[in-house]
Amino acid sequence: MPFTWRDLLDILLVAVLFYSLGRLMAGTRALNLVRGVLVYLGVWFLASLLGLSTLSWLLGNAATLGAFALIVVFQPELRGLLERLGRAQGPRAPSLALEELLLGLSRLSERRYGALIALERRTPLGEYAATGEVLEARLSARLLETLFYPGTPLHDGGAILRGDRVFAAGCIFPLSEARLGLGTRHRAALGLSEVSDALVLVVSEETGAIRLAEGGRLSPPLALEALRERLKEVIRA
Ligand SMILES: Nc1ncnc2c1ncn2[C@@H]1O[C@H](COP(=O)(O)OP(=O)(O)OP(=O)(O)O)[C@@H](O)[C@H]1O
């Protein structure tokens, strides 16, 4: 059969598909899963090639069971992946009161108030807002300071910003399984960024350091200027 433009298009699309999947999975547990599956398939293939019938029968049957087990174990990653794929169709988040947010963060950091703030983008965070208190209040530095003042009922948990409003506070975010060497506030920031496209800011109560979790990655402590630049990029995008 001659090689036609359709074959070329086919190859290109498959290459783009694998490249996009690779980028979506980079830095997540799913990448290790893919490596594991490839090794498994390699051993299975070799066993069949060498005629090791018992081993290849065993691996063949275990594969069906394993596929279901993987779906259960990697449910958070799969969900995150599907959400990222579907994101392109969602409406864009409204604009953010950037300077108020930065002022609020700098005060929280100076005062060592632990804080967790998610910026909603295309993935709706309504289900997490429902775990806390819906506020729908205009974002201001003073409101952030008040919300995360230790001892107030809403300081525990995370706040969700929707555009220039504090949509909810006192919310429970999903915890990441990653070994960070940091506590649960940071794990919750990373966890939400794994299953959504939210930018999640975390201020450490211990050190006052501000970090940003995005796409399943947690930044090192950031200076306000670097944060301003990153947030501006997001607002422009
Ligand atoms: N799943 C969660 N969702 C939202 N917030 C959470 C969650 N788990 C813990 N937190 C918040 O994190 C606080 C505990 O923080 P912890 O000291 O364990 O975190 P940390 O990452 O070490 O941060 P810090 O540097 O501020 O101490 C809780 O009081 C709560 O406010």
Side-chain angles (χ1 to χ4, degrees):
M1 239 206 292
F3 189 82
T4 66
W5 65 269
R6 276 197 190 84
D7 300 313
L8 186 66
L9 183 67
D10 207 12
I11 292 169
L12 275 177
L13 288 176
V14 170
V16 169
L17 183 74
F18 275 94
Y19 176 72
S20 312
L21 279 176
R23 282 195 55 173
L24 281 171
M25 288 188 300
T28 68
R29 283 197 307 162
L31 202 62
N32 293 335
L33 164 75
V34 171
R35 285 195 201 111
V37 169
L38 287 179
V39 171
Y40 188 96
L41 291 177
V43 174
W44 187 8
F45 177 72
L46 273 179
S48 318
L49 203 69
L50 298 173
L52 308 176
S53 52
T54 316
L55 184 62
S56 80
W57 175 85
L58 201 69
L59 291 176
N61 284 292
T64 322
L65 202 67
F68 284 107
L70 287 178
I71 290 173
V72 175
V73 173
F74 283 88
Q75 185 265 343
E77 278 78 7
L78 288 171
R79 184 178 152 181
L81 200 71
L82 291 175
E83 273 177 345
R84 285 188 222 182
L85 283 175
R87 208 166 282 161
Q89 285 91 48
R92 285 182 51 183
S95 70
L96 169 75
L98 182 59
E99 292 308 320
E100 278 300 313
L101 173 63
L102 290 168
L103 185 60
L105 285 169
S106 71
R107 289 193 185 149
L108 291 167
S109 160
E110 272 166 30
R111 290 166 173 57
R112 301 273 198 278
Y113 293 172
L116 183 62
I117 304 171
L119 277 55
E120 185 182 59
R121 294 167 78 192
R122 289 192 165 109
T123 310
L125 301 182
E127 65 176 291
Y128 305 107
T131 62
E133 217 66 49
V134 172
L135 301 177
E136 288 275 22
R138 182 130 57 114
L139 170 65
S140 73
R142 293 208 304 170
L143 177 60
L144 289 179
E145 247 184 287
T146 310
L147 283 176
F148 290 106
Y149 183 78
T152 61
L154 288 181
H155 90 284
D156 238 354
I160 298 176
L161 303 190
R162 183 172 277 178
D164 62 1
R165 304 187 77 75
V166 179
F167 180 52
C171 308
I172 306 294
F173 297 163
L175 289 180
S176 169
E177 298 287 333
R179 286 190 206 96
L180 288 176
L182 292 163
T184 48
R185 200 189 313 276
H186 291 84
R187 280 179 57 204
L190 190 61
L192 185 63
S193 84
E194 286 169 356
V195 298
S196 74
D197 67 345
L199 295 188
V200 193
L201 294 154
V202 53
V203 180
S204 165
E205 194 170 31
E206 277 166 52
T207 63
I210 307 172
R211 294 172 195 249
L212 175 68
E214 184 182 2
R217 291 195 180 90
L218 185 68
S219 78
L222 292 174
L224 278 184
E225 209 34 59
L227 203 53
R228 178 180 280 110
E229 287 316 307
R230 178 64 197 125
L231 294 177
K232 271 189 189 160
E233 277 171 29
V234 173
I235 293 168
R236 269 189 247 117

